[in-house]
Amino acid sequence: MPGEVDTDEYEDVWVFIEQHESEAAKVSWELLQKGRELADEKGERLVALVMGEDVSHLAEEAIERGADEVLVVEDPIFEPYLPGPYGEQFSELVEERKPDIVLIGGSHTGRDFAGRVAVPTYAGLTADCTELEIEADTHLLLAKRPTFGGDAMATIKCVEHRPQMATVRPGVFDAAEPDPDREGTTTEVEAAVGEENVHSRVLERVVGDITDITDAEVIVAGGFGTEGEFGPIEELADLLGGEVAATREAVEEGWIEAARQVGQTGKTVKPDLYVAAGISGAIQHLEGMNDSQTIVAINDDPNAPIFDDADYGIVGDLFEVLPALTDAIRDEQEGTA
Amino acid sequence: MSREWNIVVCVKQVPDADDVSIDPDTGTLNRSDAEAVLNKPDYNAVETALRLKEAVGGTVTAVTMGPPFAKAVLEAAVGLGADDGILLTDRAFGGSDTWPTSLALAASAEELDGDVVICGEESTDSSTGQVPPGIAAHNDWSQLTYVEELEPRPENDELVATRDIEGGHEEVAASLPVVVAVGFGMNEPRVAGLHRKIFSETEFEPEEYSASDLGIEESVGLAASPTSVGGMDTADPVEREREMVDSVDELVDKLQSEGAI
């Protein structure tokens, strides 16, 4: 078991570039942009880590999006993702190259990976951060996350261990546009993983439509109050060219797929218009939609906390209000067309 | 060769999220009077463990780490059908973050000669989801997270899982021993039978393990935890109009004047 470490030996900010079938997860580019800011503040380098079977094009893109160096480990053993080989390779790289900070996307894959690698590297890992800063005098990473219920933000530090690791959910930070003129170095690393590190094998992988609600300009979201009936929500979202989203409760009830969950443990969205129907307004949910431009709340309980966090509220049955709203907007659209 | 499985289910005592009140003076959440309950996602873990036992044979042992009164969540698990419960309790565990917590659970799973360790997706009080992969990493066992379905293949010493990969799913075969984190809501947890429930609350006494029983007294607690809480701030509220409207037409007018539609 690793003991105390000399923290001065550790430098640079790393971002784990999550990829599936040679396609990068968008959250990786969001973290690369945040990592760029943190590295500049520390006066250190930003390093992207890309693992997979055929990923050299992602190395180029990582440089265009801000990386000074890209570590590329290409080997068929890294496709598809498995925690054993990925974890072993990452531990080797950390031991050899000693990064100070490592950022990982808070996707299912990212959280599976982060939890696995934090143990052998004895890293301090903070989950689902919504803010990342560098402390002025110590240069420590300040990883901030809402606490239970979200009434306060806790700042988590890792003082004596390295690396300082954090996961961040998709949509919390914005990705930078690629700059084709940016320059950086690509370092190819030989895979240091053997069959003994493979504890599991993927028999089948089925990827359907990957809904990305984080880019939507309009979102109509439903909660427990829908009782599973999302029809009126879909109609309004369709009319406005927006996406349907939901609370954690609705996802847990199996009413809607997890990819559409908004909240601290789901996606963070920033649409121009967010319509919350049958959503009470748990802080867990508010964390994911607070940055929306305009928020409309529809709830039959006049005391629902969501009204405090909305610009406009209507007290009423969503099954009456939503269709009426859809009709009224359709009339307006047709009238002005 | 086919044999029965030692199934370990990890459970956690948390404040009841439904029982957290808002302090009328400060507007902050008041958690101190919330009842301590079994973490809701752990009901799916216990149900999974019981179904595996029904399919393969063997035993289900519930394990929790916490103060002596955390025994209540072991009683809940035994009431649901777990064969036994182990309480990891020791002042030395105090202040542990996920690194030493997963070490203690990993050491217990090894002590119990576990074949399969089942956990809930995450706890409702800290929601990191880091403990299940942490247990697997400490023991260098296989791991399966975000599991929606499980199919035991005892003839191969394997567990096959369907995992949610956000926008799809994958089927993964993992060699034993394996740590599983089941998706929240992946099954319909059973209700405790009356006789078993009475037994769990009156006769059942968990075996207690201390840090030194597990040989990890130097590696747990606050000092062994890489992370620490560096401060608490109130979350900045976003300023909102908070305007109640009486009709849909009025709402459409407002949204149009803002350019929102």
Side-chain angles (χ1 to χ4, degrees), chain A residues 1 81-83 107-109 111-112 115-116 118-120 122-128 144-145 147-159 161 169 199-210 240 248 252 258 264-265 267 273 283 287 289-296 307-315 321 324-325 328-329 332, chain B residues 15-17 20 28-29 31 98-99 102-103 121-122 124-130 133-134 136-138 140-146 153 158 160 163-175 184-185 219 223-235 238-245 247-249 251-252 254-256 258 260-261:
Chain A
M1 196 176 304
Y81 166 82
L82 283 174
S107 59
H108 285 186
T109 298
R111 295 176 115 229
D112 187 88
R116 181 86 190 187
V119 163
Y122 216 137
L125 172 60
T126 308
D128 296 345
K144 301 192 174 186
R145 69 191 305 261
T147 59
F148 178 56
D151 55 329
M153 294 286 284
T155 299
I156 310 295
K157 286 189 198 182
C158 169
V159 180
H161 292 267
R169 294 276 177 171
H199 314 85
S200 55
R201 58 188 203 282
V202 175
L203 306 177
E204 193 191 12
R205 203 160 191 284
V206 182
V207 182
D209 279 341
I210 300 175
L240 295 172
R248 177 163 187 158
E252 276 156 16
Q264 191 203 346
T265 59
K267 300 286 193 323
L273 175 63
I283 297 171
E287 279 300 322
M289 47 74 98
N290 248 336
D291 290 334
S292 304
Q293 187 71 35
T294 301
I295 296 175
V296 172
F307 289 123
D308 288 338
D309 291 277
D311 294 294
Y312 305 109
I314 289 194
V315 178
V321 176
L325 183 59
I329 294 172
E332 285 294 330
Chain B
D16 186 352
V20 176
T28 58
L29 294 181
R31 206 174 321 168
T98 56
W99 199 100
S102 51
L103 173 66
E121 182 174 323
E122 58 186 39
T124 52
D125 61 343
S126 50
S127 61
T128 71
Q130 284 161 202
H138 277 295
D140 195 23
W141 291 356
S142 46
Q143 75 188 44
L144 296 164
T145 55
Y146 302 100
R153 292 190 185 163
E158 267 184 353
V160 175
R163 299 184 62 230
D164 181 332
I165 51 169
E166 295 171 297
H169 61 266
E170 65 179 16
E171 205 178 305
V172 186
S175 312
F184 191 10
S219 309
S225 297
T227 63
S228 55
V229 178
M232 299 284 256
D233 303 296
T234 48
V238 180
E239 285 301 314
R240 291 288 171 194
E241 302 287 344
R242 296 187 180 183
E243 194 177 332
M244 300 306 289
V245 294
S247 73
V248 162
D249 291 335
L251 177 60
V252 171
K254 297 276 184 199
L255 293 178
Q256 271 183 330
E258 268 197 29
I261 54 172

Side-chain angles (χ1 to χ4, degrees), chain A residues 205-326:
Chain A
R205 203 160 191 284
V206 182
V207 182
D209 279 341
I210 300 175
T211 314
D212 185 4
I213 59 170
T214 63
D215 281 337
E217 288 174 7
V218 174
I219 287 181
V220 186
F224 206 72
T226 63
E227 294 170 5
E229 177 48 58
F230 271 69
I233 287 173
E234 284 163 15
E235 277 174 38
L236 181 58
D238 281 351
L239 179 68
L240 295 172
E243 291 285 353
V244 172
T247 61
R248 177 163 187 158
E249 291 72 30
V251 171
E252 276 156 16
E253 291 290 338
W255 297 338
I256 193 161
E257 64 267 30
R260 293 185 186 273
Q261 184 191 322
V262 168
Q264 191 203 346
T265 59
K267 300 286 193 323
T268 296
V269 296
K270 302 162 189 167
D272 296 335
L273 175 63
Y274 190 92
V275 180
I279 293 175
S280 62
I283 297 171
Q284 202 279 127
H285 181 75
L286 298 178
E287 279 300 322
M289 47 74 98
N290 248 336
D291 290 334
S292 304
Q293 187 71 35
T294 301
I295 296 175
V296 172
I298 301 163
N299 204 295
D300 58 8
D301 174 7
N303 297 317
I306 188 78
F307 289 123
D308 288 338
D309 291 277
D311 294 294
Y312 305 109
I314 289 194
V315 178
D317 181 350
L318 71 95
F319 295 105
E320 289 166 17
V321 176
L322 274 179
L325 183 59
T326 304

Side-chain angles (χ1 to χ4, degrees), chain B residues 173-187:
Chain B
S175 312
L176 303 189
V178 58
V179 181
V180 179
V182 298
F184 191 10
M186 66 96 77
N187 54 29

Side-chain angles (χ1 to χ4, degrees), chain B residues 1 8 24 33 36 38 52 62 68 83 94 104 129 134 136 162 172-173 178 183 187 191 208 233-234 236:
Chain B
M1 212 190 67
V8 176
D33 53 1
L38 176 60
L52 270 185
D83 298 289
T162 304
V172 186
V178 58
N187 54 29
V191 176
E208 292 185 8
D233 303 296
T234 48
D236 294 333

Side-chain angles (χ1 to χ4, degrees), chain A residues 11-61:
Chain A
E11 60 178 26
D12 294 342
V13 177
W14 284 20
V15 174
F16 172 68
I17 306 298
E18 178 184 338
Q19 63 82 29
H20 299 282
E21 290 164 15
S22 308
E23 216 167 290
K26 206 179 99 209
V27 65
S28 305
W29 303 140
E30 294 165 4
L31 292 183
L32 209 52
Q33 171 61 10
K34 189 65 193 177
R36 183 70 265 167
E37 288 170 26
L38 300 178
D40 287 345
E41 218 166 314
K42 287 160 59 72
E44 293 177 1
R45 296 178 326 137
L46 177 65
V47 178
L49 170 59
V50 185
M51 297 157 76
E53 186 175 8
D54 178 19
V55 290
S56 51
H57 62 290
L58 296 179
E60 286 165 36
E61 189 169 353

Side-chain angles (χ1 to χ4, degrees), chain B:
Chain B
M1 212 190 67
S2 183
R3 57 181 175 83
E4 298 193 328
W5 286 358
N6 291 332
I7 302 162
V8 176
V9 59
C10 299
V11 292
K12 185 181 183 187
Q13 191 177 52
V14 297
D16 186 352
D18 299 331
D19 197 24
V20 176
S21 57
I22 293 175
D23 186 318
D25 296 327
T26 62
T28 58
L29 294 181
N30 188 352
R31 206 174 321 168
S32 53
D33 53 1
E35 200 188 341
V37 295
L38 176 60
N39 180 46
K40 215 170 159 192
D42 295 349
Y43 280 96
N44 297 124
V46 173
E47 180 63 31
T48 302
L50 296 174
R51 288 187 196 182
L52 270 185
K53 176 190 162 177
E54 285 157 12
V56 180
T59 57
V60 173
T61 307
V63 178
T64 195
M65 184 170 111
F69 59 79
K71 174 189 161 196
V73 293
L74 296 175
E75 289 175 0
V78 168
L80 288 163
D83 298 289
D84 205 353
I86 309 278
L87 178 62
L88 312 182
T89 193
D90 193 327
R91 279 183 188 280
F93 291 133
S96 292
D97 71 2
T98 56
W99 199 100
T101 300
S102 51
L103 173 66
L105 293 168
S108 319
E110 208 147 50
E111 178 72 23
L112 293 165
D113 201 13
D115 296 297
V116 180
V117 177
I118 312 276
C119 305
E121 182 174 323
E122 58 186 39
S123 62
T124 52
D125 61 343
S126 50
S127 61
T128 71
Q130 284 161 202
V131 166
I135 297 170
H138 277 295
N139 287 350
D140 195 23
W141 291 356
S142 46
Q143 75 188 44
L144 296 164
T145 55
Y146 302 100
V147 167
E148 296 298 332
E149 282 171 50
L150 275 182
E151 184 203 327
R153 292 190 185 163
E155 65 282 7
N156 298 339
D157 280 342
E158 267 184 353
L159 195 55
V160 175
T162 304
R163 299 184 62 230
D164 181 332
I165 51 169
E166 295 171 297
H169 61 266
E170 65 179 16
E171 205 178 305
V172 186
S175 312
L176 303 189
V178 58
V179 181
V180 179
V182 298
F184 191 10
M186 66 96 77
N187 54 29
E188 196 68 48
R190 69 194 63 188
V191 176
L194 187 60
H195 290 291
R196 189 72 193 162
K197 192 161 188 289
I198 291 170
F199 164 80
S200 72
E201 287 169 8
T202 55
E203 289 175 51
F204 162 72
E205 279 299 325
E207 193 178 340
E208 292 185 8
Y209 290 176
S210 67
S212 52
D213 289 340
L214 295 168
I216 54 171
E217 64 274 24
E218 300 297 324
S219 309
V220 291
L222 193 62
S225 297
T227 63
S228 55
V229 178
M232 299 284 256
D233 303 296
T234 48
D236 294 333
V238 180
E239 285 301 314
R240 291 288 171 194
E241 302 287 344
R242 296 187 180 183
E243 194 177 332
M244 300 306 289
V245 294
D246 295 323
S247 73
V248 162
D249 291 335
E250 195 185 339
L251 177 60
V252 171
D253 284 346
K254 297 276 184 199
L255 293 178
Q256 271 183 330
S257 63
E258 268 197 29
I261 54 172

